Amino acid sequence: MSSEKNFRPLEAGIRLDLSERKNYGGYLCLDTLFAAQKPISDPEHHDEMLFIIQHQTSELWMKLIVHELNEAIRCVQIKRLGRASKILARVKQIQKQLFEQWSVLETLTPSEYMQFRHVLGNASGFQSVHYRQVEFLLGNKNHKMIKVFPEGSASRNTLEEVLSSPSIYDVFIRHLSDQGYAIPEALVNRDIRQPHEFSEPLMDVLVEVYQQPDQHWPIYAFCEQLVDVEQSFQLWRFRHMKTVERIIGFKQGTGGSSGVSFLKKALELTFFPELLKLRTVL
């Protein structure tokens, strides 16, 4: 076979001058991105790079979830429920990425992790601003959680703003009221800095929706998207807990928490309690 057949010449239109920002690496700021992996173990432990990239990619996916949830909230507020449902469907796919990547970290054995765990100091996922924003945007408001971040810091200010803004469930409840559903005024005008508490009147409304889905289809479909997001979040929480259990057992977390026991308690939290309980009532 002639060597010429294994040669592919460059097409005339291919740009060779990559000095502008609008090339692949410039547009994605890859120089900055690739410079952000900085292991600090000495000598550098091979598996610390895995640990860093695992958590950095998680933060990027959660940043995108925050971006999408903010838009979903805006869409509900302007009564574009179908558009909001589509966005929540995307959020669910992002959550799948977060869930599946635990399998990569699970290749880290306890012996390997113990070789560099000490260099983390007090660093912990508990301190993730993006994770806390996701919880707040979904309705799990807890003002005590922001005390982890220094007063006056950008992270603290961001969380204060999200804490004082309506969650996806808050705007949905107001939308139900605006559409003529029998939502108590006290629920519509509640203190949104506090976590949502189960409401019997709200569940009665949602039971009616589920009993006659064809007559309430946009509401019904949106509810199921909320349930999908809740379930995906809980599966992520569970996988997180099991991954930690697999790697460090029941040791204390680097951030000072009880570790696995602390993570198990999070599995008892729910964002949309009426949507879960109505399944038993139907």
Side-chain angles (χ1 to χ4, degrees):
M1 180 182 293
S2 171
S3 62
E4 292 181 1
K5 292 183 179 181
N6 288 323
F7 175 75
R8 182 179 65 172
L10 288 176
E11 295 176 351
I14 292 180
R15 297 180 181 275
L16 299 180
D17 180 6
L18 302 182
S19 59
E20 297 181 7
R21 183 181 183 275
K22 290 184 180 178
N23 58 58
Y24 182 76
Y27 176 71
L28 296 176
C29 300
L30 292 184
D31 287 345
T32 300
L33 182 65
F34 294 151
Q37 294 75 48
K38 299 177 180 179
I40 59 176
S41 53
D42 186 18
E44 182 180 324
H45 191 278
H46 172 79
D47 297 305
E48 190 181 356
M49 183 65 76
L50 159 64
F51 192 82
I52 291 171
I53 290 178
Q54 169 88 23
H55 288 81
Q56 286 181 340
T57 53
S58 294
E59 287 294 326
L60 285 172
W61 283 125
M62 284 190 285
K63 180 177 182 178
L64 183 55
I65 290 178
V66 169
H67 176 73
E68 299 294 345
L69 287 176
N70 278 320
E71 178 63 7
I73 288 171
R74 188 188 73 84
C75 286
V76 176
Q77 289 174 322
I78 62 175
K79 306 190 185 311
R80 295 189 63 188
L81 210 60
R83 169 67 176 163
S85 290
K86 194 268 184 185
I87 292 171
L88 292 184
R90 176 182 291 174
V91 168
K92 182 173 64 174
Q93 296 303 319
I94 301 168
Q95 289 175 305
K96 284 184 179 180
Q97 302 303 313
L98 283 165
F99 177 85
E100 291 297 338
Q101 72 177 49
W102 285 121
S103 63
V104 182
L105 193 62
E106 286 167 356
T107 65
L108 183 67
T109 68
S111 300
E112 292 164 343
Y113 184 42
M114 287 305 112
Q115 296 299 309
F116 65 89
R117 187 183 188 230
H118 63 282
V119 306
L120 303 181
N122 296 322
S124 168
F126 184 80
Q127 301 150 6
S128 167
V129 179
H130 288 128
Y131 174 79
R132 199 60 57 198
Q133 286 183 77
V134 172
E135 284 218 321
F136 285 5
L137 289 168
L138 291 175
N140 184 24
K141 302 286 187 76
N142 186 342
H143 69 277
K144 292 182 179 180
M145 294 298 183
I146 67 175
K147 293 181 179 180
V148 175
F149 306 94
E151 192 168 352
S153 65
S155 297
R156 179 79 168 257
N157 292 339
T158 295
L159 290 177
E160 281 282 6
E161 182 179 351
V162 180
L163 184 70
S164 300
S165 302
S167 70
I168 188 73
Y169 209 36
D170 289 326
V171 296
F172 176 57
I173 290 169
R174 179 172 289 277
H175 178 78
L176 289 174
S177 178
D178 291 343
Q179 295 300 308
Y181 291 90
I183 306 297
E185 187 174 341
L187 181 58
V188 174
N189 297 316
R190 74 178 192 86
D191 181 2
I192 59 174
R193 289 178 60 89
Q194 301 300 319
H196 171 81
E197 295 183 1
F198 177 82
S199 167
E200 196 74 43
L202 175 58
M203 193 184 72
D204 290 342
V205 167
L206 295 174
V207 166
E208 177 186 345
V209 168
Y210 272 73
Q211 286 174 334
Q212 304 177 74
D214 289 342
Q215 296 182 30
H216 309 273
W217 188 261
I219 301 295
Y220 174 78
F222 187 78
C223 287
E224 283 299 286
Q225 292 289 2
L226 288 176
V227 173
D228 282 348
V229 170
E230 163 118 16
Q231 184 175 29
S232 296
F233 197 92
Q234 290 287 45
L235 288 172
W236 181 87
R237 277 173 168 164
F238 179 79
R239 188 76 178 269
H240 181 196
M241 182 268 292
K242 296 304 290 185
T243 300
V244 171
E245 183 180 59
R246 173 175 178 149
I247 297 176
I248 69 168
F250 288 84
K251 291 185 177 70
Q252 186 181 48
T254 49
S257 75
S258 57
V260 169
S261 298
F262 178 75
L263 296 175
K264 281 184 177 179
K265 293 175 183 176
L267 296 174
E268 300 172 1
L269 302 174
T270 181
F271 300 117
F272 320 121
E274 295 82 6
L275 288 174
L276 298 182
K277 187 172 181 179
L278 69 80
R279 282 151 165 76
T280 304
V281 175
L282 288 174

